[in-house]
Amino acid sequence: MSILDIIFLSIGLAMDCLAVSIASGIILGRMRMCVVLRMAILFGLFQALMPLIGWLVTSLFSSYVSSYDHWIAFGMLAFLGGRMIKESFDKEESGHFAPDALMTQMMLAVATSIDAAAAGISFACLGYDSMQSLIIPLSVIGLFSFFFSVVGNFLGVKCGVLVKRRLNPELLGGIILIIIGIKVLFTHLLS
């Protein structure tokens, strides 16, 4: 796999991070660098770790993992999206979807990175035969996801001013998460 292939793969994998980060930025409404950096680090870390996990388990469990990983990602994203949509109609301020909460960020990081495990499976099939050979691809994947997450939060905060005037940001964020989950599910079911 050439460096250009790795970059395109990294961009593709980071798109979910970008969309979720935009929705989170809209909901947060302002740049809080500690929250943005934590989310970006978690997204980058999980996007880099999932291909490694996919690569590691390929020889033992590839048929089992590939048969249901998309359902796990869909379930987590649908759950979070559904919760956001439900809470968007809730008039109480307490208990609303909190993209700045560590557990929420971890669930989002896992949910958006599960399909990256398939990249690890493909690495094994393409001849990456040692962890050392994976250092560059995993680093590039993690860095792109980190960068796209920071940019997404920034765009969400900037666009959020316009969106909040016209739409409920939690409703929009929930819809985005469910759409991403459906995309993951259909991508795997149709391939």
Side-chain angles (χ1 to χ4, degrees), residues 27-184:
I27 292 167
L28 291 174
R30 62 185 172 102
M31 287 295 283
R32 292 179 28 210
M33 283 313 289
C34 63
V35 171
V36 171
L37 288 176
R38 183 177 65 203
M39 179 180 279
I41 289 168
L42 287 171
F43 280 19
L45 180 67
F46 278 87
Q47 286 286 358
L49 284 177
M50 284 298 187
L52 177 62
I53 292 169
W55 178 81
L56 287 170
V57 300
T58 295
S59 61
L60 298 174
F61 304 108
S62 66
S63 63
Y64 300 113
V65 172
S66 64
S67 64
Y68 65 86
D69 64 344
H70 49 282
W71 288 104
I72 295 170
F74 170 73
M76 291 177 76
L77 289 166
F79 170 76
L80 289 170
R83 194 173 88 191
M84 284 176 70
I85 290 169
K86 178 188 170 289
E87 290 172 357
S88 75
F89 295 107
D90 209 359
K91 297 302 177 202
E92 290 181 25
E93 283 299 313
S94 63
H96 278 270
F97 181 78
D100 55 344
L102 177 61
M103 284 307 296
T104 301
Q105 289 182 347
M106 289 193 64
M107 284 184 71
L108 289 170
V110 170
T112 58
S113 66
I114 285 177
D115 60 342
I121 293 169
S122 68
F123 287 150
C125 297
L126 291 171
Y128 287 83
D129 56 357
S130 68
M131 281 198 212
Q132 186 176 1
S133 67
L134 291 171
I135 291 173
I136 291 175
L138 298 182
S139 298
V140 172
I141 289 169
L143 289 172
F144 269 84
S145 296
F146 175 89
F147 176 73
F148 277 44
S149 180
V150 171
V151 169
N153 270 286
F154 176 76
L155 291 173
V157 169
K158 293 299 179 192
C159 296
V161 174
L162 299 171
V163 171
K164 283 183 180 181
R165 290 183 191 151
R166 302 185 197 295
L167 294 172
N168 182 327
E170 282 185 318
L171 177 64
L172 179 63
I175 291 168
I176 289 171
L177 290 182
I178 291 173
I179 289 171
I180 293 170
I182 291 169
K183 179 200 77 126
V184 168

Side-chain angles (χ1 to χ4, degrees), residues 4-15:
L4 191 58
D5 293 334
I6 293 168
I7 289 171
F8 283 129
L9 173 66
S10 300
I11 290 170
L13 292 174
M15 284 299 146

